[in-house]
Every structure is written in C-alpha cells, then in structure tokens.
Amino acid sequence: MPGNSLQVHVLESSTAASATAAERVHEFILSGCKIIAVPGGKTPQLFYQLLADNIHDWKGVKLVLTDERMVPPEDSHSNTSMLQQNLFAHCACESLPDYMPLLPKNDFMDKTKTRQFLDQCVQPHLPPKAAVCGLGSDGHIAGLFEDDIDSFSTKESFTFSNRTFENHQRVSLSMHTLCSIPAIICLVLGKKKGDILNTVFNAETTMPSSPIEFLINHSPGSITFICDRAAAPDFLSDGTSTHYCN
C-alpha cells in the first residue's frame, strides 16, 4: 500500500494524542528539521498549545501552513489567526518560529497575486522536511478534497479550491508537494475520523477514492497516524500500535 512506511499509533485520549504529535515535532526539530508544514482547522488547537510548552528554542525553524482560507487574517476562518491564538500566543520563549504565510498581506483574495507571492516567498523553501496534517471525516487532507482528485497529478506546488458551500477560496500545498515530504504525521481525533480510517484500511481497491488514500498510495515517505481511542481503526481497538512496510 504505502511507498515507504506507514504507522498507526493509538493513544488513550485526544490530549495524549496531541501531546505525542507535539513530541514528534520536537524530535524533528532536534534532529535538524528546520522547515515544517503544520495544519489548520480546529483539531490541532490543543496540539499547538502543547507544542508551545514543549519547545523553548525555535531558532532557525520555519513553519508553513498546509492550507489557508483566503480571508482577512483576523477572520474567524483564518488558519493564521488560529495559529496565532494557539501557538504564538502561548510561546513563553523569546525565540518564535519564522512563519511563512500562504497569503500576501494586502491581496489575500487575489488569486493571481497570491500565486506570485507563493512563487517568490514560499516556493524556494519547499518541500518541507516534515509535516503535521489533520484529516477530515471525508478523507480530505490539507486543502485537498475528493472533488479535486483529478488535479492531484499536477506538478504545481500549490493548489486553489472553491467549495460550493463556502464563501471563500482556499489555497493549499498541492498533493505533489505533500508526496515530496519525507515524514508526515496525521493527527486524527474523534469517532467520525475513525470511520474514514476504517474505510482507508479496509479498502479492497488500489484506486484511491479520497485524498488521504491517494497520499498513502503515492508518497514514498513515512506516514504516521496518531489517533485517540475514539478515532482508532477497528483493527487497533485494543490501543496497540502497528507498523506497515511495503
């Protein structure tokens, strides 16, 4: 199934899972990993707070979001705002990570100017050496959704999407970029997320039907799922960990 290695770890609670993900990021940094992609959304909020507690020296570390909504930075839907509230505001150290936004300051709704900004300011730092991603209950990862799957073969570093029920566009690291990241952690919390993991691991076809399945099938790097017990796939309901190798 995976190109290199696939691991699943189950922790007792969402707090324990978030703490484990934070510890892994700290290990990445201590091993010399200086460019890390990090998730948006609601799931990683505790993870970020624990990350701030774990890391006391961010010198030389660059963070880039896996995806962003094209909204003002103060908007409640902004992942930058979420990052500010849950990570940067909790850092007690003088040394903060260098944050690379996915949107230009004054033209955050302009796709052409955003693309130019990304090519000039973010592209030179890609791919990250590691990433933490969330996982949607529909199998989406970063800002990549099932209805975008035909575009996953593009070699572009970024992709834009506009979901019919949302009032904003999204910009995301592309599937090509995600597949170029050597180590990916997926933080998966809650029963609804466990349902998609069961779908992924019980799939009888090699044809991916969701972005996370596509990533598993095409990434040559390592992918580690860190779950709370509610999200554990059925074959790990006893709380153990397992490891798959190609």
Side-chain angles (χ1 to χ4, degrees):
M1 183 180 359
N4 198 347
S5 70
L6 178 64
Q7 300 180 45
V8 184
H9 296 283
V10 178
L11 285 302
E12 287 298 321
S13 66
S14 59
T15 299
S18 297
T20 298
E23 290 167 4
R24 291 295 183 89
V25 171
H26 195 192
E27 291 170 4
F28 287 149
I29 293 172
L30 291 176
S31 68
C33 179
K34 297 300 184 182
I35 302 177
I36 302 173
V38 292
K42 296 180 180 179
T43 296
Q45 291 179 1
L46 178 58
F47 155 76
Y48 282 127
Q49 295 169 25
L50 295 170
L51 194 60
D53 292 338
N54 269 10
I55 300 177
H56 303 290
D57 184 6
W58 289 95
K59 184 177 181 180
V61 178
K62 295 181 183 292
L63 299 182
V64 59
L65 283 163
T66 58
D67 64 297
E68 178 61 288
R69 285 100 168 196
M70 298 178 71
V71 296
E74 66 275 8
D75 191 285
S76 61
H77 293 96
S78 167
N79 285 333
T80 294
S81 176
M82 184 276 297
L83 195 62
Q84 172 63 41
Q85 294 172 24
N86 292 282
L87 176 60
F88 302 148
H90 291 266
C91 287
C93 55
E94 297 179 359
S95 160
L96 290 173
D98 182 8
Y99 174 55
M100 297 188 294
L102 294 180
L103 298 176
K105 284 185 177 180
N106 300 317
D107 298 296
F108 47 81
M109 294 182 67
D110 188 313
K111 186 186 293 187
T112 299
K113 292 184 178 179
T114 295
R115 191 180 295 278
Q116 293 173 346
F117 170 80
L118 292 170
D119 289 343
Q120 294 173 5
C121 300
V122 183
Q123 170 67 44
H125 302 284
L126 298 182
K129 300 302 181 185
V132 180
C133 297
L135 179 64
S137 57
D138 58 355
H140 84 261
I141 188 167
L144 305 173
F145 296 85
E146 184 177 352
D147 48 8
D148 303 321
I149 205 161
D150 289 341
S151 68
F152 289 172
S153 58
T154 178
K155 301 300 183 183
E156 296 288 336
S157 297
F158 310 96
T159 186
F160 294 84
S161 62
N162 189 1
R163 312 210 78 196
T164 55
F165 54 86
E166 293 182 336
N167 295 323
H168 52 261
Q169 294 188 84
R170 295 176 183 243
V171 58
S172 173
L173 300 183
S174 68
M175 183 61 74
H176 173 72
T177 299
L178 291 183
C179 286
S180 301
I181 299 174
I184 295 178
I185 291 172
C186 287
L187 181 60
V188 189
L189 308 177
K191 179 63 170 64
K192 289 184 179 180
K193 307 297 179 67
D195 291 341
I196 188 62
L197 285 187
N198 278 320
T199 299
V200 169
F201 289 111
N202 291 332
E204 296 180 356
T205 175
T206 57
M207 292 296 292
S209 61
S210 67
I212 186 59
E213 289 176 83
F214 190 100
L215 180 66
I216 289 172
N217 285 330
H218 292 82
S219 172
S222 67
I223 300 175
T224 302
F225 291 92
I226 297 178
C227 316
D228 62 4
R229 186 169 293 280
D234 291 342
F235 64 87
L236 282 178
S237 57
D238 60 356
T240 58
S241 299
T242 192
H243 175 261
Y244 293 88
C245 282
N246 197 26

